Each structure stands twice: as structure tokens, then as C-alpha cells.
């Protein structure tokens, strides 16, 4: 889903005011350069100087705005929340979860592997890791409506925890493709969605009483 990090939760991240004019153009050029350098040359070769050169932006500007590699990676990840993406509405919980998983699958198996490169880089940079958590928080918050709709249709209990259900539905894809690096399996999105929906109907993700 567009719920995977790429340059283009329980709660959403605070809204950021988007830059306009030249500032927006510079940011877009830099973010595009970060992802391109990361995919082509890897984290170890990423630097402010290589990004500035590729973006066609003066290195002093990049240093001033983003400071270092961690700041550049955070900018690329934060750019993923500056959109109007919303989860699909297929009319059923299983269908919605499957549609979400199909987007995750496409992002994790795409070429060039932008999403995989950004996730891998987050393991090497504390600032990027924090940005990745902000990204997930934003996406899980937006996807909460999937569970709310399901509860409204009577498919799940009203006290179903959206975060717990959404994590359960998407986790198998990240486990297989990010951690285990298994070959692509087109059937996995539907299988994971179906199992999560079945568990939700059985009450597996209901919030515990305080």
C-alpha cells in the first residue's frame, strides 16, 4: 500500500507545513537524490556531498537544512506522509485487508527496491529509525477506518483494536520479504489478510479491559 515508506499506527504524527516554491523544489530534488543514491550505491556510500551533487543543489544548502545522512534519510521517509493517500474501501474487511496487503507486496517487491532500501537504512541510522516510526504511525492511523467500517458492518466487535489487527494482517509480508528475504509469493497478501480477518471475527483483537 502507499502505507509503505517510499519517496514519492496507533496515532498519527503531527502535521507538518509543506514548503512551497523554491524550497519545495529543492526538497523534492534532494529526496529523489537520496533514494536514487541509496538504491544504486547503498547506505555506506550515501553522503551529503553525493546527494547534493546528484540533486544539483549547493552542498551548503544541503548541510544547512539536513545536516547529515540521518537528516537526509529522515527527509525521504517523512516525505512519504505528505500525500492524500487513504485505504481502499472494498465493502468487506477481508477485501480491504487484502487490498492493503497488495499495496505492501507491490512496494516490497518492486524494482528498483526503494522501499526495501529505506527500511534497511533505518536499521543503520537512529534518526531514520525515528522517521520510519513516524511513517508507520501515520499510515496505521489512516488505516484505522478499515476496522471502523468493519465494526459498523458487524464483521468485528466494536472494541476491536485497529492497530493490533492491522499489524497482524501486514506483518507476514514484512517478515517474509524484509527479514527472511524469501522469493515473491503473489498468494501471500490474500492469505495473510484472510487469516487476520478470520481472527478478528473471532474476537482475537478486542481491547483488553483496563
Amino acid at each position: 500500500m502507499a502505507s509503505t515508506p517510499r519517496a514519492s499506527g496507533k496515532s498519527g504524527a503531527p502535521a507538518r507545513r509543506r514548503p512551497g516554491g523554491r524550497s519545495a523544489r529543492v526538497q523534492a530534488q534532494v529526496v529523489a537524490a537520496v533514494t536514487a543514491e541509496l538504491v544504486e550505491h547503498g547506505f555506506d556510500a550515501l553522503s551529503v556531498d553525493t546527494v547534493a551533487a546528484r540533486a544539483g543543489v549547493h552542498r551548503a544548502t544541503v548541510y544547512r537544512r539536513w545536516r547529515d545522512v540521518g537528516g537526509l534519510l529522515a527527509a525521504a521517509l517523512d516525505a512519504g506522509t505528505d500525500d492524500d493517500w487513504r485505504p481502499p474501501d472494498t465493502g468487506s474487511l477481508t477485501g480491504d485487508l487484502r487490498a492493503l496487503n497488495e499495496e505492501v507486496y507491490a512496494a516490497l517487491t518492486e524494482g528498483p527496491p526503494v522501499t526495501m532500501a529505506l527500511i534497511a537504512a533505518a536499521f543503520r541510522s537512529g534518526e531514520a529509525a525515528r522517521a520510519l516510526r513516524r511513517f508507520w504511525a501515520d499510515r496505521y492511523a489512516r488505516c484505522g477506518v478499515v476496522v471502523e467500517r468493519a465494526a459498523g458492518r458487524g464483521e468485528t466487535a466494536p472494541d476491536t483494536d485497529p492497530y493490533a489487527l492491522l499489524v497482524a494482517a501486514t506483518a507476514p509480508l514484512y517478515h517474509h520479504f524484509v527479514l527472511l528475504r524469501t522469493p515473491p509469493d503473489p498468494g501471500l497478501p490474500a492469505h495473510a489478510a484472510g487469516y487476520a480477518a478470520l481472527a478478528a471475527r473471532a474476537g482475537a483483537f478486542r481491547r483488553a479491559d483496563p
Side-chain angles (χ1 to χ4, degrees):
M1 54 185 170
S3 57
T4 53
R6 53 186 307 173
S8 16
K10 286 184 180 178
S11 61
R16 298 181 307 280
R17 186 171 62 183
R18 300 182 187 181
R22 181 179 180 280
S23 180
R25 289 195 298 275
V26 168
Q27 179 161 321
Q29 290 168 217
V30 168
V31 165
V34 170
T35 56
E37 286 290 316
L38 188 63
V39 168
E40 292 179 19
H41 305 296
F43 177 87
D44 291 325
L46 191 66
S47 72
V48 170
D49 288 350
T50 58
V51 168
R54 184 162 195 148
V57 176
H58 196 283
R59 64 194 298 271
T61 299
V62 180
Y63 274 110
R64 184 173 62 252
R65 290 186 58 177
W66 292 283
R67 302 181 311 281
D68 54 24
V69 167
L72 289 168
L73 288 168
L77 287 161
D78 285 335
T81 63
D82 288 334
D83 60 21
D84 58 359
W85 180 86
R86 290 293 182 271
D89 184 356
T90 67
S92 73
L93 177 61
T94 301
D96 287 355
L97 294 177
R98 177 174 181 171
L100 289 173
N101 276 358
E102 292 288 356
E103 292 190 34
V104 173
Y105 178 85
L108 293 180
T109 59
E110 70 182 346
V114 176
T115 296
M116 293 288 281
L118 285 168
I119 292 175
F123 285 93
R124 306 283 300 278
S125 163
E127 191 167 359
R130 289 188 291 274
L132 185 59
R133 287 193 292 270
R134 289 194 297 271
F135 180 90
W136 295 137
D138 172 82
R139 282 323 199 228
Y140 281 122
R142 297 193 202 192
C143 290
V145 67
V146 167
V147 183
E148 294 171 8
R149 290 193 301 243
R153 292 189 295 261
E155 293 182 89
T156 63
D159 59 351
T160 297
D161 184 341
Y163 180 79
L165 171 50
L166 291 163
V167 167
T170 58
L173 279 75
Y174 292 104
H175 184 82
H176 279 279
F177 301 129
V178 178
L179 298 180
L180 298 180
R181 301 297 181 93
T182 57
D185 175 6
L188 183 59
H191 291 155
Y195 294 146
L198 184 63
R201 294 189 190 98
F205 306 109
R206 297 181 70 173
R207 293 186 177 91
D209 292 334

